[in-house]
Amino acid sequence: MSHQGRGLTALGRLAVVPAREVWPHEAFDFTPWLLQNVDVLSDLLGMDLVLEVAEHPVGDFSLDLKGYDELTGETVIVENQLAQSDHNHLGQIITYAAGTNPTTIVWITTGFRLEHRAAIDWLNQRTDDNTRVFGVVIRVVRIGTSEPAPNFELVAQPNDWEKQVKKATSTASGPTSAREAQYREFWELVLDRVRAEHPDWTRARTSGTSWVNTATGTSGAVISMAWTRAGLVIQIYFESADADLNSTRFDVLYAQREIFEAALGETPVWDEMDGRKAARIVIPSEFTDLTDKNTWPQMIEWLIQKQNALRSALAVVGGVS
């Protein structure tokens, strides 16, 4: 058979660029870059990361990055190393964790020694169910003369499934585990739908808590889907550590409540949450029983519709400042 006349597509060659050529200094170059491009790390980990503090002091040392997972509000710490992993940084990570009490620990290097990969695996196996350690390799690549591009690879991570099984088989935490497993099943279905239709809302995959938060684009203000004592609700939740900021944001929206409610198409519950730091704007539902799986499709549809409505109403009044 003749192949004459059939052209071959020219393909470029992928080349690795030394990370130090792009970021000469960890603290002055790479850490600020990661702070501004946190979405790259968020996508890799499947979290809605908010990184707020660079070079956070822990005793006499300085942690590279500190923030939180917007889904859960839990603390996240990140230690960067533009070199192969070493004992010093492993020790620093443990020191920083002791000083910040994080739920998620991320160690970024240009390569992990087998011993340090094993150390991360050991930590994930031995720590409690609310502690996660990730090992991430950062490489820089280019094709031909293209601009260099970051390439993150997740090389070590917690085995959440194993931890869930371990927890579920513990008689001491049986009832709690059963409830947590049901939350995880429900939120996984919700978030599958969200990621398929609205991938900009959140990168989360599931949660064992009674709530799931999605980003509004403003740190400290989320749209929260939650199971409460009254049942399933969706709410704009002001959760900044600054109580005055939460109150101000609530008051700004309350001053525009007629416009907001007209855009929303209903009257929510405006809850200042007196005596607490937070404040919220709540839409309750008719759903009160998480165990009724037959109504989960209706619950999920309601959550998607109401979240769309809340986001549209926020856009009409200019969002959360």
Side-chain angles (χ1 to χ4, degrees):
M1 178 183 292
S2 173
H3 294 280
Q4 286 184 343
R6 181 179 296 178
L8 295 178
T9 302
L11 299 176
R13 296 294 183 92
L14 190 68
V16 176
V17 179
R20 291 281 185 181
E21 287 188 11
V22 179
W23 304 290
H25 195 281
E26 286 174 16
F28 301 147
D29 299 305
F30 183 69
T31 295
W33 178 88
L34 190 57
L35 192 61
Q36 296 173 7
N37 295 273
V38 65
D39 58 302
V40 179
L41 190 57
S42 291
D43 287 337
L44 181 71
L45 301 180
M47 298 179 184
D48 291 326
L49 294 182
V50 177
L51 297 179
E52 298 180 305
V53 181
E55 300 302 316
H56 176 73
V58 179
D60 293 332
F61 303 95
S62 293
L63 168 65
D64 288 332
L65 287 165
K66 180 174 179 288
Y68 63 93
D69 181 354
E70 199 162 26
L71 172 69
T72 62
E74 295 168 335
T75 298
V76 177
I77 64 172
V78 180
E79 179 65 8
N80 303 321
Q81 184 180 358
L82 289 184
Q84 193 173 40
S85 62
D86 59 37
H87 284 0
N88 286 341
H89 280 79
L90 177 59
Q92 287 173 307
I93 287 169
I94 294 173
T95 301
Y96 297 148
T100 57
N101 194 30
T103 296
T104 299
I105 301 162
V106 183
W107 184 8
I108 301 176
T109 75
T110 57
F112 280 93
R113 297 180 185 275
L114 291 178
E115 298 87 346
H116 299 140
R117 282 278 302 274
I120 294 175
D121 292 339
W122 183 85
L123 286 169
N124 281 320
Q125 291 165 5
R126 298 288 179 157
T127 52
D128 62 33
D129 300 293
N130 295 317
T131 305
R132 299 181 289 269
V133 187
F134 293 93
V136 177
V137 169
I138 175 66
R139 296 185 180 91
V140 181
V141 297
R142 65 156 48 103
I143 299 175
T145 58
S146 69
E147 292 292 322
N151 181 27
F152 284 84
E153 180 186 358
L154 188 59
V155 298
Q157 60 186 310
N159 189 335
D160 284 337
W161 180 86
E162 183 180 351
K163 286 191 174 184
Q164 282 302 114
V165 171
K166 187 188 300 181
K167 187 174 181 180
T169 56
S170 170
T171 55
S173 60
T176 301
S177 295
R179 187 67 167 179
E180 182 176 317
Q182 200 155 47
Y183 283 138
R184 286 189 179 278
E185 186 179 357
F186 176 75
W187 292 127
E188 184 174 359
L189 292 174
V190 173
L191 292 167
D192 281 349
R193 173 86 179 269
V194 168
R195 288 197 309 277
E197 298 179 9
H198 306 281
D200 57 320
W201 287 2
T202 182
R203 298 174 179 86
R205 295 182 176 89
T206 189
S207 171
T209 64
S210 60
W211 75 92
V212 162
N213 295 339
T214 61
T216 64
T218 300
S219 178
V222 297
I223 294 179
S224 180
M225 303 176 286
W227 283 97
T228 68
R229 292 180 181 177
L232 184 63
V233 306
I234 191 164
Q235 56 196 348
I236 300 172
Y237 199 82
F238 303 103
E239 60 173 9
S240 169
D242 185 341
D244 291 337
L245 179 59
N246 293 330
S247 180
T248 298
R249 286 173 168 170
F250 179 89
D251 290 343
V252 167
L253 283 182
Y254 188 74
Q256 304 176 80
R257 66 187 182 280
E258 292 184 2
I259 299 172
F260 181 87
E261 290 175 358
L264 185 63
E266 62 183 294
T267 303
V269 177
W270 297 82
D271 185 4
E272 295 181 271
M273 301 181 72
D274 288 338
R276 298 179 62 181
K277 287 184 177 181
R280 60 182 182 166
I281 303 166
V282 187
I283 301 177
S285 78
E286 62 182 16
F287 304 109
T288 59
D289 186 4
L290 173 64
T291 65
D292 184 6
K293 292 189 176 183
N294 291 329
T295 59
W296 280 12
Q298 294 97 305
M299 295 177 189
I300 294 169
E301 183 65 31
W302 181 85
L303 286 169
I304 298 296
Q305 289 181 358
K306 294 303 178 183
Q307 177 137 192
N308 264 319
L310 279 172
R311 289 178 179 277
S312 296
L314 276 175
V316 168
V317 297
V320 180
S321 58

